[in-house]
Amino acid sequence: MDKRFKLTSGFKPSGDQPGAIEELSDNIKKGSRSQVLLGVTGSGKTYTIANVIEKLQRPALVIAPNKILAAQLYAEFKAFFPENAVEYFISYYDYYQPEAYIPQTDTFIEKDSAINDHIDRLRLKATSSLLERRDVIIVASVSCIYNLGSPQEYRDMCVFVEKGAKKSRDEIIAELIAINYERNEVEFSRGKVRVRGDTIEVFMAYLETALRIELFGNEIEKISEINPVTGEVIAVKDSCLIYPARHYVMPKEEMEKAVERIEAELAERLAALKNQNKLLEYQRLDQRTRYDIEMMKETGFCRGIENYSRVIEGRPAGSRPSCLLDYFIASTKGTSDDFITIIDESHVTVPQIRGMYEGDKSRKETLVNYGFRLPSALDNRPLKFNEFESLVKDIIFVSATPGPYELAKTKGAITELIIRPTGLIDPEVIIRPIGSQVQDLITEIRACVEKKQRVLVTTLTKKMAEDLADYLSEKEIKVSYLHSDIDALERIDILKNLRLGKFDVLVGINLLREGLDLPEVALVAVLDADKEGFLRSETTLIQVCGRAARNLNGKVILYADKMTGSMQRAIDEMSRRRRKQEEYNVKNKITPRSIVKAVHDLEEFQYHAKEEGLKNIVSEVSAEYITPGNINRVTAELEKQMREAADNLDFELAAALRDKIIAISEMAASSGKRRTVARRKK
């Protein structure tokens, strides 16, 4: 029997939540395909959606616009459903440079990437969970619409082992190697197999545990789940299904047929290039493709194999690739009607999904035209928007500012989540003239600092943000600025330091895009608010003003000399929400209170594994007893690793190794001083 979704929470639905939960659930049961949940900041949108999932008891795909928001949602759903499968599916690249060609300068940029092993495991775990159970929630980025490989092939290639089954050691090893597991007797890590006599140990690519298969002759005698480090038995199993180590897998005989189809396409394309007298492109394509063919013949895999996925799967030209949505469909008996899709921050996410295909197509066409790829590579792509629409049936768009597409899909029908459980109301909006905006801002900032409150300031350009930050710093105000050139790790540190009070003011250009939850922020100041455009649109203004909605004393100042249409619409909407919230509080005798949130919640989930990895690498060196005799060797090895990390653009690892080298050097220096003093005493 399938396990049921069980919501675990110390809260009960309140405010608008009970009505929203009932309305969303009932509409889906009645056949409403598209719904909009208009939820203001701090209204409990995630909790509301969690209740809907529990009521419907259907698998759910939650799509977020970026990794940070996906990480936050993953952590929240994980807490709400500890007994169910809550999975995380985002791009597994820490760094990614797609292959590209620039004809104007005859520059080919080779594909370069750094795969996050932890995220790769979570992606594999997400797909394996979908194929073996129904109580699954997957929080994903737009990676969910990219080519992933066929779920049917993935499932068919699984290796099944059962206690008492007749199967030789060599048969099991061959089956595991066929699904991209690698035999390695020295390093036992994810995706590896080691053999000791009649015992086979498999470190499954999607789990943190390993499997030990013990044989007696050609019979499986015992199957155990073990700790891969200590070898300790965690559980004894009667049977186990081992999923492939990669999403692109195929039986050997099918791969041989696929190679024949690739060779046929290559011959056709080479003939076309020769007829066009494109000899350079002819030679380039022939050399690159034949190398890939040889790799596939020998190993069943090659770098960039996804570019041949349409031919390998035997799909017709122009057909859509398989993606995560196909795994949902495969898990729900081949229908799109049995899972629900939640698109978070839909005003941002929907345009992202819509735009992915065209950007990818432009780059791939150049590669095909200049002989770097076969034409079939064009079908290794994200979904077109109409293809995405055809695969998702029951959708809930979640946003404080729904876009035109969402409203058109629902014909203007909206489920509102305006009342906050904390009783907080939308911040007051004040309009002041631009002429004295900086001096007025400084006065407001000093007032907030005295009350230990934080301030967000949004400007129109990066230069303005930097200049304003410098000016405020000269006025002895603790300030920092935030913009797109600052990488994700530093961004997280900046936000954490703001909450901790290491500085009081954060200046930025488009702060809403960060998905900021900062309860300490009591003032949001929007400079030059009357300059119409994307950064001062109705949607942007409502989103930016919402950053002050988590503080009891929150307020917004718009510096403007005239009232624009966007300002008027934004103020009218916020005033409408504020009136509704005030009326509810008076009616129910609720006293508003600020939201309290632990600072560590700002940590970005996907970097936990990397931080742990850095600690492990450095601790390996620390574990070696450093003596005067080996200190130079240890330091040299660390310096080599540091340079390699820097060359690979892994600056976090390089910095950690640099700090270790400094620590060892200081230790050596202090040790030398102690020996010198000791000799003098003698």
Side-chain angles (χ1 to χ4, degrees):
M1 183 178 175
D2 290 319
K3 197 169 185 178
R4 294 179 61 81
F5 283 106
K6 182 181 177 183
L7 176 61
T8 302
S9 174
F11 304 101
K12 289 185 178 180
S14 61
D16 283 342
Q17 291 172 350
I21 293 165
E22 287 299 322
E23 185 175 342
L24 293 171
S25 305
D26 290 346
N27 285 345
I28 288 177
K29 290 175 182 177
K30 292 174 183 176
S32 293
R33 293 302 194 185
S34 301
Q35 299 184 79
V36 169
L37 176 62
L38 191 158
V40 300
T41 303
S43 58
K45 296 187 287 290
T46 307
Y47 178 62
T48 299
I49 292 297
N51 275 275
V52 171
I53 292 171
E54 185 187 41
K55 284 181 73 68
L56 295 175
Q57 291 295 319
R58 288 162 62 176
L61 170 64
V62 182
I63 307 177
N66 58 55
K67 292 181 179 181
I68 296 177
L69 290 181
Q72 291 176 356
L73 287 168
Y74 171 77
E76 290 172 3
F77 278 114
K78 195 86 172 168
F80 286 140
F81 295 102
E83 298 178 19
N84 305 109
V86 178
E87 310 295 0
Y88 191 54
F89 191 95
I90 64 170
S91 169
Y92 53 23
Y93 295 112
D94 281 335
Y95 164 75
Y96 180 65
Q97 168 60 59
E99 64 179 1
Y101 179 65
I102 306 170
Q104 293 85 348
T105 57
D106 190 26
T107 303
F108 176 67
I109 302 170
E110 191 72 60
K111 176 180 175 180
D112 189 17
S113 62
I115 292 177
N116 185 312
D117 192 64
H118 185 64
I119 300 300
D120 188 29
R121 180 185 71 78
L122 291 177
R123 284 167 60 96
L124 287 163
K125 187 168 183 290
T127 51
S128 63
S129 291
L130 274 175
L131 296 180
E132 63 187 28
R133 58 195 294 179
R134 275 184 55 81
D135 60 322
V136 180
I137 300 170
I138 295 184
V139 180
S141 65
V142 290
S143 288
C144 66
I145 68 168
Y146 276 78
N147 190 5
L148 191 59
S150 165
Q152 189 61 46
E153 296 289 353
Y154 185 73
R155 177 153 45 191
D156 291 348
M157 287 293 286
C158 289
V159 173
F160 181 69
V161 290
E162 185 176 23
K163 182 180 177 182
K166 298 291 185 182
K167 195 175 274 191
S168 71
R169 188 191 75 159
D170 290 346
E171 281 180 292
I172 296 173
I173 294 170
E175 288 179 0
L176 291 170
I177 289 173
I179 59 172
N180 290 318
Y181 281 85
E182 178 186 332
R183 184 168 177 177
N184 191 317
E185 307 298 336
V186 179
E187 181 191 5
F188 191 49
S189 58
R190 199 177 65 83
K192 301 288 195 300
V193 178
R194 68 183 177 194
V195 183
R196 295 173 176 176
D198 280 344
T199 300
I200 302 170
E201 292 181 342
V202 187
F203 198 150
M204 290 175 285
Y206 47 93
L207 296 177
E208 294 179 291
T209 56
L211 196 70
R212 178 180 292 154
I213 306 167
E214 299 174 53
L215 296 103
F216 184 76
N218 288 338
E219 182 180 325
I220 298 175
E221 186 178 44
K222 186 179 181 182
I223 303 171
S224 309
E225 185 180 358
I226 64 169
N227 183 312
V229 178
T230 65
E232 177 187 359
V233 175
I234 299 170
V236 177
K237 296 175 172 285
D238 291 327
S239 63
C240 184
L241 197 62
I242 304 172
Y243 287 91
R246 293 193 183 103
H247 284 114
Y248 293 99
V249 287
M250 180 167 282
K252 186 176 181 181
E253 56 275 14
E254 291 297 322
M255 182 58 77
E256 289 171 354
K257 293 177 183 176
V259 167
E260 290 177 3
R261 292 194 291 269
I262 294 170
E263 288 174 334
E265 184 187 5
L266 175 62
E268 183 181 341
R269 180 61 177 164
L270 290 178
L273 291 173
K274 191 172 183 179
N275 289 337
Q276 297 169 29
N277 202 32
K278 293 184 175 181
L279 301 182
L280 175 61
E281 287 81 358
Y282 178 102
Q283 184 274 336
R284 180 186 288 152
L285 182 64
D286 188 47
Q287 181 183 34
R288 288 171 60 87
T289 308
R290 293 200 184 282
Y291 176 80
D292 289 345
I293 288 172
E294 287 303 315
M295 290 297 295
M296 284 186 272
K297 284 181 176 178
E298 293 298 320
T299 67
F301 191 80
C302 73
R303 188 178 182 185
I305 193 172
E306 63 274 8
N307 289 295
Y308 303 101
S309 58
R310 192 256 287 170
V311 183
I312 290 173
E313 294 171 17
R315 293 187 283 112
S319 60
R320 71 168 184 83
S322 299
C323 63
L324 182 65
L325 296 171
D326 289 284
Y327 284 77
F328 270 97
I329 293 169
S331 73
T332 54
K333 302 176 182 177
T335 174
S336 300
D337 297 335
D338 202 32
F339 72 93
I340 57 174
T341 304
I342 295 97
I343 302 184
D344 191 44
E345 301 295 349
S346 60
H347 64 284
V348 176
T349 311
V350 168
Q352 274 187 5
I353 296 171
R354 192 191 294 272
M356 288 296 167
Y357 169 73
E358 290 298 335
D360 183 80
K361 179 185 175 185
S362 174
R363 178 177 60 83
K364 291 272 180 62
E365 282 181 335
T366 303
L367 290 169
V368 170
N369 291 338
Y370 286 89
F372 289 94
R373 286 291 172 194
L374 289 172
S376 58
L378 291 169
D379 291 322
N380 167 44
R381 57 174 175 81
L383 297 181
K384 298 176 183 177
F385 193 66
N386 64 313
E387 293 170 340
F388 172 78
E389 288 182 302
S390 70
L391 292 177
V392 292
K393 301 299 184 185
D394 295 324
I395 309 179
I396 300 175
F397 301 100
V398 181
S399 175
T401 52
Y405 171 81
E406 300 95 283
L407 296 175
K409 289 288 284 185
T410 61
K411 297 179 180 177
I414 290 175
T415 300
E416 288 195 335
L417 205 57
I418 303 296
I419 307 301
R420 298 182 177 88
T422 55
L424 282 173
I425 59 177
D426 273 23
E428 177 187 8
V429 179
I430 303 167
I431 300 176
R432 291 182 182 166
I434 290 176
S436 58
Q437 62 182 358
V438 175
Q439 295 307 317
D440 184 77
L441 176 62
I442 290 173
T443 303
E444 292 289 343
I445 289 172
R446 296 196 192 283
C448 288
V449 170
E450 286 181 11
K451 300 173 185 175
K452 300 188 183 303
Q453 296 168 344
R454 313 287 184 267
V455 179
L456 295 183
V457 183
T458 177
T459 64
L460 283 173
T461 67
K462 175 183 171 183
K463 182 72 165 57
M464 289 172 64
E466 292 175 347
D467 290 347
L468 180 61
D470 290 341
Y471 183 75
L472 294 177
S473 183
E474 290 173 5
K475 298 296 181 181
E476 298 183 346
I477 292 172
K478 292 187 289 183
V479 62
S480 183
Y481 68 91
L482 194 66
H483 56 75
S484 59
D485 291 344
I486 295 174
D487 65 39
L489 282 175
E490 189 177 351
R491 211 157 54 220
I492 295 297
D493 284 338
I494 289 172
L495 299 179
K496 182 194 288 186
N497 290 338
L498 176 68
R499 296 198 61 196
L500 291 173
K502 293 185 179 179
F503 59 89
D504 302 304
V505 182
L506 181 61
V507 182
I509 304 165
N510 190 13
L511 291 173
L512 73 94
R513 61 174 285 199
E514 310 299 340
L516 306 184
D517 281 348
L518 306 172
E520 295 81 5
V521 171
L523 171 63
V524 171
V526 181
L527 304 187
D528 303 303
D530 57 2
K531 303 297 187 290
E532 280 276 23
F534 169 72
L535 293 176
R536 297 295 180 265
S537 67
E538 174 190 352
T539 296
T540 304
L541 289 173
I542 292 175
Q543 289 283 345
V544 169
C545 294
R547 301 311 108 200
R550 291 178 178 266
N551 192 289
L552 183 62
N553 301 305
K555 70 176 179 179
V556 176
I557 301 177
L558 303 180
Y559 290 99
D561 289 333
K562 62 181 180 180
M563 179 69 74
T564 65
S566 294
M567 287 174 60
Q568 188 63 63
R569 289 189 296 274
I571 292 170
D572 289 347
E573 174 60 16
M574 287 186 285
S575 298
R576 181 188 73 82
R577 297 176 185 182
R578 186 180 172 92
R579 284 194 301 271
K580 184 176 179 180
Q581 293 157 352
E582 288 174 332
E583 289 170 4
Y584 182 86
N585 288 350
V586 171
K587 181 180 178 180
N588 293 276
K589 299 179 180 179
I590 294 174
T591 302
R593 62 187 188 278
S594 288
I595 291 173
V596 177
K597 182 180 179 182
V599 174
H600 64 77
D601 283 351
L602 272 175
E603 293 291 347
E604 189 172 1
F605 168 83
Q606 69 262 36
Y607 286 97
H608 286 352
K610 189 158 192 175
E611 289 167 3
E612 290 171 9
L614 297 183
K615 292 175 186 174
N616 291 338
I617 290 170
V618 175
S619 64
E620 284 176 10
V621 179
S622 304
E624 181 175 358
Y625 184 70
I626 298 174
T627 65
N630 70 6
I631 194 167
N632 290 334
R633 177 179 60 78
V634 172
T635 304
E637 178 61 27
L638 281 172
E639 287 176 347
K640 179 183 176 184
Q641 292 180 20
M642 180 182 71
R643 285 193 294 271
E644 288 176 354
D647 290 341
N648 292 329
L649 305 180
D650 195 345
F651 299 118
E652 299 97 306
L653 174 56
L657 292 168
R658 177 205 60 201
D659 293 343
K660 189 64 187 176
I661 292 168
I662 293 171
I664 293 173
S665 300
E666 289 175 349
M667 180 178 68
S670 62
S671 175
K673 289 178 182 178
R674 286 197 297 273
R675 288 198 298 274
T676 302
V677 171
R679 284 197 296 270
R680 284 175 180 171
K681 286 183 178 179
K682 289 178 182 179

